[in-house]
Amino acid sequence: MHTILIACESHKQQAQAIADHLKLPLHEVVVTHFADSEISVGLKASAPSLASLHAIVVHSTSYPVNENLVELLLTLQMLKNKGVKKITAVIPYFGYARQDRLQGGESVAGFVLRLLQEAGADSVVTVELHNPNIIDDAPLPVTNIVLTDVIADYIAQQEEQNDLTIIAPDRGALGRVEAIADRLDASTMVYDKERYAVNKTRITASSGTCKTLKGIIVDDIIDTGSTMMQVADKLHDEHSSCHMFAFAVHPVLSGDARRKLQESYFERIWITNTITWDQGTLPDKFVVVDISKYIADSLRTLI
Ligand code: R5P
């Protein structure tokens, strides 16, 4: 079965980079916007017949999450209607993944997976899910690309390895942080975080100390930036001589997160391109780490 890549309208760069690594043809979805904000999706007239092909659709459901999710759902349905035989939805940043608590037998994240399946996806490939356990109850196969080795190797290229503490901003991030620290032979430290309202958390206590000169806080997501900022402030209070760095897989960067982080104690903030940000629109402390090769590599067994 021949495989093609399909790029939804936003995140075309992401799809192009993956297509380049895999040396596969890429076709772009064309979105028409109606006056009431409904959309319809199609392919350019020059696109070949897709009947009996395997289509890999690449699209992050990042901000604006609902618009991007609907664009993806309509794209899957359009491909199914065109007779595509197999559809793999590659969703580097999976919006709604944080809504992982079961409510009446299904989480919101699980419900979104069910919508993707209903729309036409045969399987989903995503990156560093907030809670990989949602895969267990998923209605379709989900591959979660874990980047701990990639992050560790990247950090090793940037900073002297013998001088690092890898820091988890909350208990949920500890497994990831321990795996990275193991590979780097670095020490670890973890903070406790409690949520008291939507998008509002407070860092309460820390376990361990940052004995080294450099602390790298690693998390899956920077959304409002509040978690990273609070940890940086606490770390500065406790160890004012510690040089601070942050690594986040998914740079949601809502509101004024970019400005706040630029003005923080962090010296460097590494983010991946699961969500597309042009380096030119980011303040100079931010560095984009391209992970398209690792997504492409994980797709090779499917094509
Ligand atoms: C939640 O537990 C996640 O792992 C992140 O820590 C969280 O989403 C970050 O959000 P914010 O940047 O708004 O603090």
Side-chain angles (χ1 to χ4, degrees):
M1 202 184 336
H2 286 299
T3 301
I4 56 161
L5 259 83
I6 304 284
C8 288
E9 205 169 58
S10 47
H11 306 293
K12 279 181 198 158
Q13 291 169 339
Q14 209 174 53
Q16 185 67 62
I18 295 169
D20 290 346
H21 283 296
L22 294 173
K23 299 192 173 28
L24 287 175
L26 177 73
H27 299 283
E28 289 178 12
V29 167
V30 180
V31 180
T32 307
H33 296 261
F34 298 102
D36 67 350
S37 86
E38 282 185 21
I39 59 167
S40 81
V41 299
L43 292 171
K44 287 187 182 150
S46 56
S49 162
L50 304 183
S52 307
L53 296 184
H54 171 207
I56 298 177
V57 183
V58 181
H59 192 51
S60 277
T61 48
S62 53
Y63 180 89
V65 178
N66 297 332
E67 277 82 345
N68 278 315
L69 179 59
V70 170
E71 185 184 337
L72 178 58
L73 291 170
L74 295 187
T75 299
L76 296 171
Q77 191 231 14
M78 178 262 297
L79 294 173
K80 196 161 103 177
N81 289 341
K82 285 185 182 296
V84 170
K85 187 144 189 206
K86 182 173 145 193
I87 304 178
T88 304
V90 177
I91 312 172
Y93 173 71
F94 188 91
Y96 286 105
R98 280 180 286 179
Q99 296 195 44
D100 56 353
R101 299 230 168 104
L102 290 181
Q103 293 158 355
E106 186 176 48
S107 65
V108 171
F111 171 64
V112 172
L113 286 169
R114 194 152 56 80
L115 288 179
L116 293 165
Q117 182 190 43
E118 186 61 34
D122 294 294
S123 63
V124 167
V125 176
T126 187
V127 178
E128 287 284 352
L129 273 173
H130 177 66
N131 176 1
N133 292 338
I134 65 167
I135 293 174
D136 299 341
D137 299 315
L140 74 176
V142 179
T143 302
N144 179 37
I145 301 172
V146 173
L147 292 179
T148 46
D149 288 358
V150 175
I151 296 171
D153 293 348
Y154 181 82
I155 290 172
Q157 287 163 17
Q158 310 300 312
E159 301 297 328
E160 285 294 327
Q161 262 171 266
N162 56 6
D163 198 23
L164 298 177
T165 300
I166 311 298
I167 300 166
D170 56 40
R171 300 269 157 192
L174 187 56
R176 179 182 301 107
V177 156
E178 284 176 340
I180 294 167
D182 268 1
R183 195 166 168 98
L184 291 170
D185 206 16
S187 43
T188 60
M189 183 178 174
V190 59
Y191 282 87
D192 285 318
K193 181 169 88 175
E194 64 183 29
R195 183 168 302 281
Y196 60 94
V198 173
N199 272 141
K200 301 263 186 242
T201 55
R202 64 172 78 86
I203 299 292
T204 51
S206 60
S207 303
T209 50
C210 184
K211 297 189 198 97
T212 56
L213 274 179
K214 290 176 188 163
I216 303 184
I217 304 165
V218 181
D219 207 356
D220 57 341
I221 299 171
I222 299 180
D223 185 351
T224 64
S226 158
T227 301
M228 285 290 189
M229 294 291 297
Q230 290 186 66
V231 173
D233 289 347
K234 269 224 179 287
L235 198 57
H236 181 76
D237 290 347
E238 293 160 4
H239 311 278
S240 59
S241 58
C242 183
H243 294 269
M244 277 178 245
F245 302 83
F247 196 117
V249 176
H250 305 296
V252 173
L253 301 176
S254 301
D256 63 350
R258 281 176 286 174
R259 182 193 56 76
K260 283 191 304 200
L261 288 160
Q262 175 68 16
E263 292 169 5
S264 69
Y265 292 114
F266 289 113
E267 293 177 21
R268 213 31 106 243
I269 299 146
W270 295 297
I271 54 176
T272 83
N273 56 347
T274 59
I275 298 172
T276 307
W277 287 97
D278 287 332
Q279 185 76 62
T281 66
L282 293 167
D284 61 10
K285 284 187 181 176
F286 287 79
V287 175
V288 178
V289 181
D290 181 10
I291 57 147
S292 52
K293 175 186 181 303
Y294 306 102
I295 298 178
D297 285 346
S298 75
L299 295 172
R300 284 185 205 282
T301 54
L302 304 176
I303 57 181

